[in-house]
Amino acid sequence: QDAMEADTAMRDLILKHREMLSEWHSYRQDTVLTLETEFQETVDKTGALVPLNPDGTEDDDYTVVE
Amino acid sequence: MRPLVLMGHERPLTQVKYNKEGDLLFTCSKDSSASVWYTINGERLGTLDGHAGTIWSIDVDPLSMYCVTGSADYSIKVWNVSNGENIFTYQSPVPVKCVEFSPCGNYFIAILDSVMGYPGSINVYKLERDSTSNEITNFIEEPIKTINTQEGLVTVTVAGWSTNGKFIIAGHKDGNVSKYDVENDYQFVTSFKLHESNISDLQFSPDRTYFITSSRDSNAHIVDVASFKILKTYETDCPLNTASITPLKEFVVLGGGQSAKDVTTTSASEGKFEARFYHKIFEEEIGRVKGHFGPLNTIAVSPTGTSYTSGGEDGLVRLHHFEKTYFDFKYDVEKAFEAKEHMQEAN
């Protein structure tokens, strides 16, 4: 009886973990997509090839070195 | 995981911070000094001497050229990292509790405490830099913006910048978190009650799209910046002073312990002076790291994800480089999930 209950509890936990994992990955995909969309909007609006800092200067992290 | 124990401070640590590359560690303490260390071997690069009171907070800019400290001596100091020289001092009417550079490094925020009739505020300072050398050319003494504590909220204790410096997120003494829109003249956006007690720490994820908070109510939460909703909750059995998110692995590290006033009557084993590792997604505790003789006041994880550092009430800094077992650790469910994704990509 105890072993069966332990098995059920383990199965429930695994299912819960699977669900949490899928939810998190889905959240992360949405976030990355939003960031990419915002980046594209900035590029379209400003014509800049790289994201801009709040003061209008180019973000060094994205500066392409030729 | 044998730590490097850095003995350079005589009083409790208040904050530890890595630079962007993770090769330098910045520490500050109630002993009025700040130190810079090489993370690879724990060698001290130098000290930042000049404050006359507790240094509550320290931060380094994205280029590791300058660092800023906020102190109980009513001042904010900017330092040259390469030679430890204090290059500018801002005067404050009250103690400064927290400082943080914007992601671009051209601004920083300072949290001014609410004491002696001062209502408390988040001050935003601008640094003018040379466009080619990136050296600071001009310090503007007055803040470009003073965000006063919103009506209905109490003093801000911690704050930071979200992705690309779009929002400032603040944690309050009464457990509230609030959000301010940088592009819209730092206007207040929203707030909600996240903790039952003082928010002791607020640290962002690597891409700054979500953040973790810790509180003396023994809980830590992960909150999404955009939706401002709680994503994850970590429940512990001790008051928390600090929380940090690990890159590379899906973990969070929490630290705290019995409050300083109870430490003399509490043994190290009962005081819960351990860094606690939780699985970020599953919200389950997966391990603890002992070592400190008092509460953990501050924890930082290297941006490279290869080490973490804790600063304690005992005045010690413990720098841990993660071992292979740390990187290998995975739940079976995670392994199966990755295998499934890999198969889908292959098809």
Side-chain angles (χ1 to χ4, degrees):
Chain A
Q1 184 72 24
D2 285 351
M4 272 181 66
E5 277 178 14
D7 271 357
T8 311
M10 181 59 80
R11 201 174 304 125
D12 288 348
L13 186 65
I14 289 170
L15 287 173
K16 187 183 157 199
H17 281 171
R18 269 190 206 156
E19 195 183 331
M20 290 170 106
L21 209 51
S22 313
E23 268 178 20
W24 182 262
H25 279 264
S26 166
Y27 157 69
R28 290 301 299 157
Q29 278 175 356
D30 290 349
T31 307
V32 171
L33 194 66
T34 307
L35 282 180
E36 283 175 356
T37 310
E38 279 177 4
F39 169 55
Q40 194 55 49
E41 280 171 2
T42 309
V43 170
D44 293 345
K45 200 164 75 180
T46 63
L49 294 173
V50 294
L52 298 177
N53 293 319
D55 62 350
T57 57
E58 290 182 351
D59 188 337
D60 286 341
D61 284 352
Y62 295 88
T63 304
V64 178
V65 180
E66 290 181 14
Chain B
M1 199 157 46
R2 197 174 171 80
L4 294 166
V5 182
L6 315 181
M7 287 181 281
H9 291 287
E10 292 167 1
R11 294 203 56 212
L13 272 293
T14 48
Q15 194 165 25
V16 295
K17 265 271 171 74
Y18 284 87
N19 67 336
K20 194 178 175 184
E21 288 75 25
D23 61 330
L24 296 177
L25 179 73
F26 294 75
T27 61
C28 60
S29 153
K30 287 185 179 175
D31 66 6
S32 313
S33 75
S35 298
V36 189
W37 314 78
Y38 289 112
T39 55
I40 188 73
N41 56 9
E43 187 188 332
R44 184 149 65 176
L45 181 63
T47 55
L48 309 175
D49 297 313
H51 277 297
T54 294
I55 303 178
W56 287 117
S57 181
I58 188 165
D59 196 23
V60 56
D61 74 355
L63 299 166
S64 302
M65 290 174 74
Y66 303 100
C67 77
V68 61
T69 50
S71 169
D73 68 1
Y74 298 25
S75 74
I76 302 160
K77 287 182 185 288
V78 179
W79 310 80
N80 189 326
V81 173
S82 61
N83 58 15
E85 187 190 345
N86 172 212
I87 50 172
F88 194 78
T89 300
Y90 298 86
Q91 296 304 327
S92 161
V94 287
V96 181
K97 299 293 280 187
C98 176
V99 286
E100 189 171 307
F101 276 106
S102 63
C104 66
N106 294 334
Y107 303 84
F108 72 86
I109 50 172
I111 295 177
L112 273 55
D113 207 358
S114 66
V115 289
M116 299 180 301
Y118 188 83
S121 65
I122 305 171
N123 287 7
V124 185
Y125 294 88
K126 185 176 182 180
L127 300 165
E128 288 179 2
R129 292 182 186 248
D130 181 88
S131 59
T132 48
S133 68
N134 283 308
E135 283 181 6
I136 297 174
T137 52
N138 186 26
F139 289 94
I140 303 161
E141 200 155 347
E142 291 301 312
I144 58 162
K145 185 71 187 178
T146 298
I147 305 169
N148 289 314
T149 306
Q150 191 70 19
E151 200 176 325
L153 296 174
V154 299
T155 316
V156 173
T157 49
V158 283
W161 306 74
S162 75
T163 314
N164 295 333
K166 202 172 171 189
F167 296 104
I168 289 173
I169 308 294
H172 297 253
K173 224 171 199 167
D174 59 357
N176 273 285
V177 279
S178 55
K179 182 161 120 176
Y180 303 85
D181 187 351
V182 172
E183 288 167 349
N184 200 6
D185 196 30
Y186 301 88
Q187 269 192 13
F188 170 75
V189 180
T190 185
S191 72
F192 76 99
K193 179 99 171 162
L194 179 62
H195 288 281
E196 290 306 315
S197 179
N198 176 33
I199 296 184
S200 49
D201 198 8
L202 189 155
Q203 295 191 31
F204 281 85
S205 63
D207 65 3
R208 294 185 171 267
T209 55
Y210 59 96
F211 60 91
I212 189 166
T213 58
S214 64
S215 166
R216 302 296 294 171
D217 70 3
S218 306
N219 293 331
H221 296 290
I222 282 184
V223 178
D224 178 48
V225 170
S227 64
F228 227 44
K229 283 184 180 158
I230 300 174
L231 300 174
K232 297 288 169 189
T233 296
Y234 310 94
E235 292 174 4
T236 73
D237 57 356
C238 71
L240 293 176
N241 295 328
T242 180
S244 193
I245 298 165
T246 62
L248 300 183
K249 300 292 289 181
E250 304 282 24
F251 302 148
V252 297
V253 196
L254 315 178
Q258 300 292 341
S259 58
K261 63 182 168 57
D262 300 328
V263 167
T264 49
T265 58
T266 310
S267 74
S269 58
E270 289 169 354
K272 309 185 192 305
F273 309 139
E274 298 146 332
R276 293 139 186 265
F277 283 73
Y278 278 69
H279 195 283
K280 184 172 72 186
I281 301 167
F282 303 146
E283 303 170 335
E284 289 174 0
E285 185 173 341
I286 50 176
R288 292 186 187 190
V289 179
K290 291 181 182 178
H292 282 286
F293 301 106
L296 278 75
N297 290 340
T298 172
I299 285 176
V301 181
S302 167
T304 58
T306 55
S307 71
Y308 88 94
T309 299
S310 53
E313 188 71 14
D314 56 10
L316 298 177
V317 177
R318 297 175 72 88
L319 197 167
H320 304 73
H321 287 279
F322 294 127
E323 290 174 1
K324 189 174 178 296
T325 50
Y326 167 87
F327 296 103
D328 289 345
F329 179 86
K330 255 179 202 156
Y331 280 58
D332 286 341
V333 180
E334 286 181 285
K335 289 178 191 166
F337 191 88
E338 277 176 17
K340 193 176 148 196
E341 287 215 318
H342 187 69
M343 294 256 294
Q344 280 173 346
E345 278 173 21
N347 291 331

